[in-house]
Amino acid sequence: MHALVHSTFGEATDVLDVVERPLPEPGPGEVRVRVVLAAIHNHDLWTIRGTYGFKLELPAQTGTEAVGVVDALGAGVETFSIGQRVTSAGTFGVWAEYFVAKASALVPVPDAIDDESAAQLISMPLSALSLLDFLDVSEGDWIAQNTANGAVGKLVAQFSRSRGVRVLGLVRRDEGVAELAELGINDVVSTEKDNWRQEAAAILAGASPRVAVDSVGGESAGELLSLVADGGSLVVFGAMGAPMLSIASSDIIFRGTTVRGFWGSKVSASMAPEKRVALIGELLQRVGSGEVKLPVEAVFPFVQAREAAAANARPGRAGKILLRP
């Protein structure tokens, strides 16, 4: 079979290659899946760079989320059947024509969900839903977030709406406000404007977010924290703009705010099984009904994986970049 592999750590645009590899065989409790579409996530690219929370042994087959069709069953697997559509997130090496995963790591895909949505169904949506659960907010509460037009930002806004939670979204470009409005996501402010704080205050109408989610770092983190209510918190989800946080000590000392981190992999690993099942059930229902949308920007064949990685980094991208074997 063919698979995408990197022999050194670096930018995916420089190190990804299509390599011929042996067809994997499923062991006991495992399933082999023929890949239909696979998603490119930022954490995949960070792993290829060697800058994520761990390093893979090189040469490494890469990619963590894909939708496909069950192709072979290992001994003892009775929960799936040949030809069944499934998705997997967190199984390394899915940027390939075939991959093997533990049966427990696969999720059956309902007929109401198309392949393009199913290819990105678990990783980012479940992270967004888990993040929202982690924030411990209730109906009527406000939260604030930057990169509101990013994949997770859009999902947090959509899942929040279904739960009755209000979201103040910050974007860096004026165009981002219109982009989100097309998805029915309002209460968004562009920090490109000098009066963005006044616009944010008008949307909040006297309310203050209990918690804010930062995916940028740098000064953006401090801007978000300044919007949070006294005693509220800033949750650091990512660092797309800068690896350091620039926050005012007065917000911590005099207003009693706190800063916490959220790493989806760690939260998922410690999550109670019944909680995970409940969140995945909510996710499938919201996406299947069309209440939560998972747009796609473009689909690239494996042979254009480097171009796909470049497209993933392009400013203004409105949807997920997918790979097709």
Side-chain angles (χ1 to χ4, degrees):
M1 70 166 188
H2 292 100
L4 289 173
V5 173
H6 59 103
S7 299
T8 60
F9 293 113
E11 295 298 326
T13 51
D14 299 324
V15 302
L16 275 182
D17 290 304
V18 179
V19 173
E20 193 168 302
R21 288 205 149 186
L23 183 68
E25 296 295 335
E30 295 182 333
V31 175
R32 186 171 68 207
V33 178
R34 176 177 58 81
V35 173
V36 175
L37 289 171
I40 294 180
H41 297 305
N42 287 334
H43 61 253
D44 295 321
L45 303 181
W46 294 335
T47 301
I48 292 168
R49 292 187 193 113
T51 58
Y52 203 43
F54 53 87
K55 285 191 175 184
L56 299 174
E57 184 177 341
L58 298 176
Q61 201 169 306
T62 193
T64 53
E65 183 167 23
V67 63
V69 176
V70 173
D71 177 73
L73 301 173
V77 176
E78 299 179 352
T79 51
F80 294 99
S81 57
I82 302 297
Q84 185 175 2
R85 223 165 38 119
V86 294
T87 185
S88 177
T91 300
F92 281 92
V94 304
W95 292 357
E97 291 179 317
Y98 297 85
F99 69 89
V100 166
K102 293 184 181 299
S104 59
L106 299 175
V107 176
V109 178
D111 292 340
I113 299 177
D114 60 31
D115 286 338
E116 290 192 344
S117 296
Q120 52 177 315
L121 183 61
I122 302 299
S123 185
M124 291 297 103
L126 187 57
S127 288
L129 200 49
S130 298
L131 172 62
L132 186 57
D133 196 66
F134 177 83
L135 299 182
D136 193 28
V137 287
S138 304
E139 183 175 356
D141 286 342
W142 277 92
I143 64 175
Q145 63 173 349
N146 52 25
T147 62
N149 56 340
V152 171
K154 292 174 183 175
L155 289 164
V156 166
Q158 292 177 84
F159 284 124
S160 294
R161 182 171 56 206
S162 69
R163 291 185 172 195
V165 175
R166 303 291 300 275
V167 181
L168 171 66
L170 303 184
V171 296
R172 287 182 286 184
R173 302 174 295 107
D174 292 344
E175 295 86 350
V177 178
E179 174 193 329
L180 290 171
E182 290 180 4
L183 292 174
I185 299 173
N186 301 304
D187 297 334
V188 181
V189 172
S190 169
T191 57
E192 191 173 47
K193 295 181 177 179
D194 292 336
N195 68 334
W196 72 266
R197 287 186 179 277
Q198 287 86 347
E199 288 193 8
I203 290 172
L204 292 169
S208 295
R210 281 190 51 203
V211 61
V213 180
D214 172 47
S215 297
V216 180
E219 293 184 0
S220 295
E223 292 172 347
L224 267 182
L225 187 59
S226 70
L227 300 174
V228 169
D230 289 2
S233 62
L234 176 74
V235 173
V236 180
F237 182 82
M240 295 174 60
M244 305 294 287
L245 304 179
S246 179
I247 58 179
S249 58
S250 57
D251 282 330
I252 304 293
I253 298 170
F254 302 121
R255 300 205 300 115
T257 59
T258 58
V259 179
R260 297 179 288 162
F262 177 94
W263 185 18
S265 296
K266 187 173 183 179
V267 170
S268 179
S270 62
M271 185 179 292
E274 57 272 19
K275 169 64 74 172
R276 180 179 175 83
V277 169
L279 291 179
I280 290 178
E282 180 178 351
L283 189 163
L284 294 176
Q285 192 277 323
R286 303 294 184 196
V287 175
S289 69
E291 190 175 345
V292 171
K293 302 182 187 305
L294 302 175
V296 170
E297 176 80 6
V299 180
F300 290 80
F302 277 2
V303 292
Q304 293 181 348
R306 295 189 181 194
E307 290 89 337
N312 189 76
R314 205 162 288 145
R317 178 168 55 83
K320 184 61 69 177
I321 301 296
L322 302 181
L323 294 165
R324 187 191 304 278

